[in-house]
Structure formats: structure tokens, C-alpha cells
Amino acid sequence: MGYELRVVRESPLAFAELAKAIAPAGFELHGSDEIVAGHGDAKHTVARWQGQVVGEPGSDWQVAQLLRLSTALGARLVGEDGEVYSLRDGVMEVATGDSVMELGKFDEIIEAGPAAWSP
């Protein structure tokens, strides 16, 4: 199991609401729990439904997709340690306490695709 990012909303998200909201944002629901996004001709898992939306990203692309998904659901993207991921002026950021780190330009990360992080 990898590092988890959670899509957190003020009001709980029902599964029916999730299913209705993800399609217009370009996501698909596979089975009863897998949320996928396409890149090229392939579909890639972005998150899973576990009573809430949870992702274990292995690439910047997956983090960007989780950020896009959280926006579509009117939610925040939060890491296990409480850090908050956001998009400001086209740049993905992660904030931990008073520290903010830029992760990269959102459009470039989406275009680059789901290449896995190197160890």
C-alpha cells in the first residue's frame, strides 16, 4: 500500500453523487469502486471509492488527476499527513503548515501522462 491522498468534502459524498459527477469531468467508474481517466488509448486508475474517494498515486499525472477529480466534486485533496494539494495560476502546489511547494504546471503534467515515479 502506497501513500494515500483523500478527496475530502465538507458534506459526505454519496456513491450516487460520485457516479453522477465524474462523467462530465472525463472520469469513468469501472466496477463498483474504481475511478479511471484516459491518456492516449489507455485507461488508468486514479482513485477508488471506499466510502470516500482515495487514491494512491504513482505519478505526478495521477496526482493531477486526483486534483482535477477533487475540484469536480467540490472537495479538497488532502494527504495522509494533512498536506493540502491545490491549483493556483495553472501550477499544482502542496501546502504543509506554512510551507508551500510547487509541483509543476498542471497542463504539462497532464500532457506528459502517467509515467511512474522512479525510485
Side-chain angles (χ1 to χ4, degrees):
M1 183 159 127
Y3 191 79
E4 288 187 347
L5 298 179
R6 296 173 311 283
V7 174
V8 178
R9 288 181 16 141
E10 296 302 318
S11 59
L13 181 67
F15 182 77
E17 188 178 2
L18 168 74
K20 184 178 179 180
I22 65 172
F27 295 95
E28 296 177 16
L29 190 59
H30 285 193
S32 62
D33 70 340
E34 191 176 47
I35 301 167
V36 301
H39 186 271
D41 293 334
K43 301 289 181 183
H44 303 273
T45 300
V46 172
R48 296 198 182 282
W49 173 255
Q50 300 173 345
Q52 66 178 359
V53 177
V54 177
E56 292 181 27
S59 70
D60 288 343
W61 182 85
Q62 287 175 313
V63 174
Q65 293 292 353
L66 281 164
L67 186 55
R68 196 167 67 85
L69 179 60
S70 67
T71 300
L73 296 172
R76 296 177 300 131
L77 184 60
V78 180
E80 287 180 11
D81 297 326
E83 70 278 15
V84 177
Y85 294 77
S86 61
L87 186 63
R88 184 169 52 111
D89 298 327
V91 176
M92 289 178 20
E93 298 178 335
V94 59
T96 307
D98 293 333
S99 175
V100 177
M101 182 176 76
E102 289 186 358
L103 301 176
K105 293 182 179 179
F106 180 82
D107 291 341
E108 291 175 3
I109 292 169
I110 291 293
E111 186 178 314
W117 289 318
S118 301

